[in-house]
Amino acid sequence: MIHFVLLVSRQGKVRLTKWYSPYSQKERTKVIRELTGLILTRGLKLCNFVEWRGYKVVYKRYASLYFCMCIDQDDNELEVLEIIHHYVETLDRYFGSVCELDLIFNFHKAYYILDELLLAGELQEPSKKIVARLIAGQDSLVEAAKEEANSISNIIAQATK
Amino acid sequence: MSSPSIMETLFQRTLEDLIKGFRLQLIGESAFISKAMEEIWKEIKSTNLQTKSIALQKLSYLGSLYFVDMSWSAFHCIECMSSPRFSQKRIGYVAVSQSFYDETPVLLLITNQLRKDLGNVNEFEAGLALDCLASIATVDLARDLTPNVFKLLGSSKIPLRKKAIGAILRVFEKYPDAVRVCFKRLVENLDSPDSRILSAVVGVFCELASRDPRSYLPLAPEFYRVLVDSKNNWVLIKILKIFAKLAALEPRVAKRIVEPVCEHMRRTGAKSLMFECIRTVVSSLSDYEAALKLAVSKIRELLGDEDANLKYLGLHALSVVARKQLWVVLENQEIVIKSLMDADANIRSESLRLVMAVISRSNVLDISRVLLSYGLKSDPGFCNEIIGSLLSACSHNLYEIVIDFDWYVSLLGEMSRIPHCQKGEEIKNQLIDIGMRVRDARSQLICVSRNLLIDPAFLGKPYLYGILCATAWVCGEYVEFSTNPTELVEALLQPRTSMLPPLIRAVYLQSVLKILIFCMYSHFQKWGSISFPSSHNLEGVLSESISKGTALESSDTLTSAQDDVFNPRKLRERIRLSFLLRRTDSVKSLLSNCCVIELALEPLLGTHEVEILERTRNVLGLIELIKQQIPDQLFPEEESLSREELEVWKLIRSMNDASCEELGPVSFTAQEKIRIPEGLVLEENLRELDLICGNLQPRSLSFFPQREERVDEWHDSEWRSREDLEPSNESMSLLVEHRKRHGLYYLPSSASNDYPLANDPRSGEHVPDETEDLVRLAAQSLAPKKKPNYSKPRPAVVRLDEGEATFPVVSNRSNSKYDLLSEVVHDVLQETNPMDKSSQKGKEKVRGDIPPGSKENLQDLVDPRREKLGSGKSKHRSHGKDRGHKIPQKVDGEKDENSERARKKGSHRHGRNKMRQRAEEQADLLAQTPDQIPDFLL
């Protein structure tokens, strides 16, 4: 199973974290420190797997972002690479040629998309189209609520004038 | 709504504002975070849910990327979670699944909210609840919400059902009894035509089976159908993983799946699926030759690929095969050896692991040579990895693969000379260990030690001090194998030893003392045999010389002594004349030795290090004692000589006796064997000792035996009368002369520090530059030799009676929680069987789309229940052994099973404590009935 997902920029800035196994906040910072040291220093043409504390970390670099997933020893590394790619493509479809800035400003959305893709450390939705549809459905719910909220706040604002 | 909260709502910074602010901030990250936290702290207390949720969203942003503590916000999370609005609810749920742990105190409060949301008609909200449950479920939550999840497992909404399937994994883990309720429905989902459902459910089974494969053997037919029918790679990879586990347990499953697995391997274009097929074959189906050959050819494809990932995985697959089928590695050795020089450290270590897998008695010499030459060329990290794995491979099981210890000891010496060698500690241990265990290796050991000690360059490298310490000890302990003790003394006392840490220097000095004693002893032994042949001493001398084994000398004495009886005067004169010359010679060398030692040690008398000081004084005292005797002996007067000499002789002899007692390895259980005397009260807590000896530091030189201390003490008392000698003019001139002769050991007067490197790679005699050469060399070495031809047999290695090397293995007790889970799964499978079968039949009728072949397969495939009755007992037994202790509950016979189940039904509803109790009972059961192993598959 996937134990956690990390998105780290080339400069070592963390862009997204998601933990499927229990780690305390303290452990989390330590894990990230260790892994960024391990992964960011690796050359471009080297293989995408790193052995770490008895686990394997599969990473892939897209532009300036490293996508890392930590898996068990006997999991299929290539499959995880495909999951990473799958996630990137889903993001790409959602944002329209995604870049690091999209993920920085829409941190929570990247998070929701990941939640649709993975559950309890397992891939749960292999179809990009359906993920996109689900996210769109949620977005429309939120939009509707926002409009409502805006109208109320407008009313209040007018009332308090 | 009060007016401040309206203001807050209107002017609150959103998450986007926060992120933008972060990018523009000038006050430093931590200052900005603490400012933002202050804001959040205020806003989150707002009564307005919108304000609260945005504050929480900001907090979870900071919490997930900057690891700010979120535990204090637990209650606010719950408030947002229960909001009627989806956007706020979602923020609440995300924060909860991110920050809640099993210990979070308010966790109990969310049960109702979750239940409500799980039943929500809005699929998104129910999905949120499932997501949350999947990441934070506790025992209580899992128990209370099992019925709701069960309902969702049959939901008509595909996304919801899929999520419920994913979440069930965590529920099972926390609350195994949920299996009784949900398992059947979960299994039914395996038949789902929807590939997404299938993918989710196979994922769950894969995870379950990886923890305890045996429980899922009865589901093999269902899995098999998926394996044959599915076209989805995600699903196939997972199903292959399950089968890899099952096939290892049950040969008939293996036989069944070989064909489809090979078919997938041939057909698929996806590397991930192909690799999974390869892995399945090499790990579980390696007995099937055709499949293995196919897999090996695919591995070769991977190895030849440009892509580093595939290459790495190819090597990885090879190392799995290597456990059973070495020839596969030998076939691909060229690539393996070349990979030792790959740019990627992972690939390098993987190939190193492979090489280590094929190392054996017949090829260890060549492999070590190849590896060391690679090590010299690669970076320090990998070089040390190579040295480390060579050391551990060779020392494994008391140097099992080493036959020629002379070679191995030289190899250790060579390793120490490699620049950046960080394995000093291990080399040190092995040098000492071999010295103690392998008698025949000692002369070579002394030789290697001498070469290491004599090189002044080593003294400048702190990481080699451990090795030097060991070599110094070896030189002292086994000095009798040395050809030139004088040289050893000089090496041990060279000026640069002042760079050593005091404790190691103490070892050096102790070795000097031992060597000195040895020199004197052998000197006097020669002497003694000729110097007191007066008639009343004759017998004593004879037996002395014979027992000490100086064969040549003693036979001489014998004849001389016999002649002596007949013609005492004349013969005695003759012998004395002929030996006087030789004796003078040896006395001279002994004296010059003593002078060298004295000169080197005088300055140490001023040191503050107790260890050094004590040993220095010991040595100097001994020398003083000898010196008093020796001048007379050059031109001795007969009568006084023999008495005087006897005193020294006695002293030297007893000292030598003390130091030549052999040291052996000590069993790690040795201490346990000492019986505690009656009446001795042993305190559990030794804290009171701190009061007494809190200031004492434990001695780190643990391998010095007690007896040497005894010698020192004894000698010390003899030595009290010693007077300090001023360094005389004579000795100064000697020093100058010594410097002239052994300039190598002295620091250059210009004080520049340009010592030659210990092992300059450029000057290395045989570092082949071409990789090709190495590959060829390796090709020769890896090929199994027909008849290893050794000039001499393997020397005896001292081994203690009980297995000293096998440290008590931590018993491999599997987690009781998983035991519990598999127990329940087993129960459920037993119960649902008949139904399962009938429903399957019905389904088969409906499912007309199954290809006829697969249908046949389906029927042929082992059906555990059907075959259980007709099982052969003998087969049954043969499988019992390796099954061992894993799943105790399953091991009971059927009758036990029923009564067990009845009992369990009674205790079913009593929650956690009961469960724990049962786990304990289980352990008891396991202990009582280890050999009842019914196999419902056979």
Side-chain angles (χ1 to χ4, degrees), chain B residues 455-472:
Chain B
D455 193 338
F458 281 122
L459 291 166
K461 298 183 178 175
Y463 52 86
L464 288 176
Y465 285 169
I467 300 175
L468 290 178
C469 178
T471 52

Side-chain angles (χ1 to χ4, degrees), chain A residues 48-60:
Chain A
N48 295 90
F49 320 123
V50 183
E51 285 180 32
W52 170 80
R53 289 200 204 169
Y55 295 108
K56 273 195 182 133
V57 177
V58 179
Y59 72 92
K60 191 155 170 74

Side-chain angles (χ1 to χ4, degrees), chain B residues 533-535 538-539 542 557-572 575:
Chain B
S534 55
S535 52
L538 191 63
E539 273 85 4
L542 274 179
T557 329
L558 201 67
T559 50
S560 68
Q562 273 167 357
D563 289 349
D564 200 30
V565 178
F566 304 114
N567 194 356
R569 256 266 135 70
K570 235 182 178 177
L571 245 161
R572 202 145 158 206
I575 294 167

Side-chain angles (χ1 to χ4, degrees), chain B residues 5 21 110 199 339 388 476 605 621 630 691 710 908 924:
Chain B
S5 95
I110 68 171
S199 151
S339 308
L605 285 174
I630 283 174
L691 292 177
R710 201 159 33 80
H908 183 74
D924 289 346

Side-chain angles (χ1 to χ4, degrees), chain A residues 13 17 23 25 32 42 47-49 51 74-76 82 112 116 119 122 124-125 130 138, chain B residues 15 19 29 64 67-68 90 101 131 162-163 166 196 207 238 241 272 276 279 309 312 344 346:
Chain A
K13 288 253 182 239
T17 58
Y23 289 88
Q25 290 287 70
I32 287 179
R42 284 174 66 83
C47 72
N48 295 90
F49 320 123
E51 285 180 32
D74 55 353
D75 276 333
N76 190 322
E82 279 168 30
Y112 301 143
E116 289 304 322
L119 189 111
E122 296 285 338
Q124 59 142 338
E125 183 51 77
I130 288 170
Q138 294 184 20
Chain B
L15 176 62
I19 296 171
E29 202 171 84
S64 102
F67 304 103
V68 172
R90 182 160 72 172
Y101 296 96
D131 269 339
K162 194 183 63 191
K163 280 194 174 176
R196 291 181 290 154
E207 201 55 41
K238 296 278 177 202
K241 277 194 183 304
S272 53
E276 199 54 51
R279 181 142 62 183
N309 288 337
Y312 171 80
D344 192 335
N346 287 341

